[in-house]
Amino acid sequence: MTDIWRDTAIRYLGYTNELGEAFRPMIPKSWVIGTYVISTGYALGDTADKAKKEWDRTKSSKKTLREGLNTCIWQLAASVIIPGYCVHTIVALSKKGLRNFKKGPIRKWGPTVLGLSSIPFFPHLIDPVVDYGMENLDHYVLKPMLVDDVFEDSDNLIGGESSKET
């Protein structure tokens, strides 16, 4: 089955904030914010899709919450926060480094070109780090909290009666 959030062109919506950060020196701040809205919307859309699929498969509130949290945290970290920060930093530092150049195409476009050229490397550099962090977060926090019954009777959070007798 095709995952529209990861196997189609919709996937590229997750990169819009990186483009916004690369073009930050040349576009209004409101446009940069708009790119974050788009990429965050992508992350939340993928989260909702994965949580719904888990609910349809298991009908377990705990497993659905765990899947939703895993997807949301991973997407926000790997698609929005870390790459956005990296491109922002690359652009800001290159802008500072090019400030002694006379006004011209290098000074104007240099930071944007450097920011854009860094984007293809992020999946290879960032995703493994986020994967490692998420494996540990899931193993040591989410799984014990949501599967090992830290929350009493939380398997019936979404609709239905409590199975616990009073």
Side-chain angles (χ1 to χ4, degrees):
M1 177 184 267
T2 299
D3 181 346
I4 65 162
W5 298 96
R6 297 181 187 178
D7 301 329
T8 69
I10 290 172
R11 178 178 189 273
Y12 296 109
L13 292 174
Y15 292 97
T16 54
N17 68 305
E18 295 163 50
L19 297 175
E21 286 294 348
F23 283 98
R24 181 182 282 272
M26 299 173 8
I27 62 175
K29 184 178 181 180
S30 61
W31 290 19
V32 176
I33 293 169
T35 65
Y36 274 90
V37 169
I38 292 168
S39 58
T40 301
Y42 162 80
L44 296 176
D46 188 33
T47 298
D49 179 60
K50 299 306 175 287
K52 182 184 180 319
K53 286 177 180 172
E54 184 67 20
W55 174 256
D56 291 344
R57 191 174 68 78
T58 66
K59 301 290 189 233
S60 166
S61 297
K62 289 188 275 188
K63 290 178 182 175
T64 300
L65 181 58
R66 180 179 174 202
E67 180 65 27
L69 285 171
N70 267 312
T71 303
C72 187
I73 294 167
W74 193 96
Q75 284 290 5
L76 289 174
S79 297
V80 182
I81 298 167
I82 298 171
Y85 175 77
C86 290
V87 175
H88 178 85
T89 302
I90 289 167
V91 170
L93 291 175
S94 61
K95 191 174 174 185
K96 192 179 258 187
L98 295 173
R99 72 175 175 253
N100 293 329
F101 275 77
K102 292 180 182 176
K103 289 195 182 237
I106 292 176
R107 187 170 168 185
K108 180 179 180 179
W109 286 95
T112 296
V113 169
L114 288 170
L116 289 172
S117 65
S118 67
I119 295 171
F121 297 101
F122 292 155
H124 308 291
L125 299 172
I126 295 171
D127 290 3
V129 174
V130 175
D131 285 340
Y132 177 78
M134 287 305 303
E135 287 170 12
N136 285 292
L137 178 70
D138 186 59
H139 181 76
Y140 294 109
V141 178
L142 298 178
K143 183 179 178 195
M145 197 166 64
L146 296 171
V147 176
D148 296 340
D149 292 324
V150 171
F151 294 124
E152 289 183 36
D153 198 34
S154 60
D155 209 21
N156 291 305
L157 290 174
I158 303 173
E161 296 290 320
S162 173
S163 61
K164 187 176 183 181
E165 293 184 25
T166 53

